[in-house]
Amino acid sequence: MKQVVKILTIVLLATVFLMPKTAMAQYYQPDEEVNQIVVDKQIKGLKESVWKDNYPSDFMVFGPNTQFEFKIIVKNTGNRNLTWIKVTDTLPPTVDYLYGRIEATFDKSTHQITWKIPEIKPGEQQVTIIGVRTKSKNLLPYSIKESINKVCAVAESNASDCDESRFFTNMGAAETPKTLPVTGSNDLITLIGLTMSSIGAAGYFFKKHLNQA
């Protein structure tokens, strides 16, 4: 009888030690708390229908006094409520702030737009549209420049994330179309036409007077 008890004890101990550690950990470990936030920044011209992460110069170049928009998406990708999320959007010096959230404040000295979101539940998101306008061409030199608009969000739990959108401005010309035309071609054709007409008229004049002579 003692031998049977001894064998059963050995088998039981062996079973306990050979059990997968992951299964034991899952059984005893409580649900892990995850505080995570993701920010997505996108840009769109008023004549465009699709939001993009960035506007490369071969797609669009904004001229002076041109209005366009940014979209800021703040999403809770964790499993706990995020509270009092502070969002800070820093505009580049090439644009002026036009509109955004009602509760947002704009600091002209830092070019920053700030607001707070009281709460975002897991899997939910907050979307904000910000309107801007490029400055007048007499405020900046004539050139194509890259600008960066950066946004950051920080929750009360210190969960944070940042994103940015890049775009180009040309402060000496209007909004550049996607397919650039060959400038000056029509004027050149007109000039050639006028020149040929003048030569023809002069030839006719001299020929007429020579025949009369």
Side-chain angles (χ1 to χ4, degrees):
M1 184 66 179
K2 291 182 179 180
Q3 187 68 22
V4 174
V5 173
K6 185 176 180 180
I7 293 173
L8 290 175
T9 302
I10 293 173
V11 172
L12 181 60
L13 291 173
T15 302
V16 172
F17 282 111
L18 291 175
M19 284 180 65
K21 293 183 179 180
T22 54
M24 293 178 66
Q26 290 177 0
Y27 182 80
Y28 289 105
Q29 185 175 352
D31 185 23
E32 183 181 359
E33 182 175 327
V34 179
N35 289 282
Q36 187 170 296
I37 192 170
V38 171
V39 179
D40 185 21
K41 180 89 180 222
Q42 298 176 1
I43 184 174
K44 182 176 74 68
L46 294 186
K47 297 179 182 178
E48 302 298 317
S49 58
V50 179
W51 292 93
K52 293 180 177 293
D53 292 329
N54 301 287
Y55 266 17
S57 60
D58 59 354
F59 177 79
M60 183 75 70
V61 177
F62 295 109
N65 298 315
T66 302
Q67 184 177 332
F68 56 100
E69 293 179 327
F70 292 107
K71 179 166 68 172
I72 300 172
I73 304 172
V74 182
K75 186 174 183 179
N76 183 349
T77 55
N79 58 12
R80 292 291 185 270
N81 289 355
L82 293 176
T83 56
W84 295 114
I85 303 107
K86 182 181 180 181
V87 184
T88 304
D89 186 69
T90 305
L91 296 176
T94 50
V95 299
D96 289 322
Y97 174 59
L98 294 180
Y99 55 84
R101 296 178 73 97
I102 298 176
E103 70 273 22
T105 59
F106 178 61
D107 188 340
K108 291 184 178 181
S109 62
T110 60
H111 244 223
Q112 290 185 335
I113 312 163
T114 58
W115 67 91
K116 285 189 177 182
I117 303 173
E119 183 182 55
I120 304 180
K121 295 179 180 180
E124 294 184 351
Q125 64 184 28
Q126 285 266 348
V127 179
T128 301
I129 304 297
I130 291 178
V132 299
R133 181 173 56 214
T134 54
K135 294 183 180 295
S136 175
K137 62 181 180 180
N138 61 358
L139 297 179
L140 292 173
Y142 174 89
S143 63
I144 295 179
K145 292 184 177 181
E146 184 181 32
S147 297
I148 302 174
N149 185 196
K150 185 175 182 179
V151 61
C152 292
V154 182
E156 189 177 25
S157 62
N158 289 326
S160 63
D161 189 36
C162 295
D163 194 23
E164 61 185 31
S165 287
R166 295 171 178 264
F167 61 95
F168 287 82
T169 59
N170 183 353
M171 306 314 294
E175 186 173 345
T176 305
K178 298 172 189 176
T179 303
L180 296 177
V182 180
T183 59
S185 57
N186 292 334
D187 294 340
L188 181 59
I189 293 173
T190 303
L191 180 61
I192 293 173
L194 290 173
T195 303
M196 295 300 294
S197 298
S198 299
I199 293 174
Y204 176 78
F205 175 79
F206 284 114
K207 182 178 180 181
K208 182 178 180 181
H209 282 74
L210 287 174
N211 291 333
Q212 291 178 353

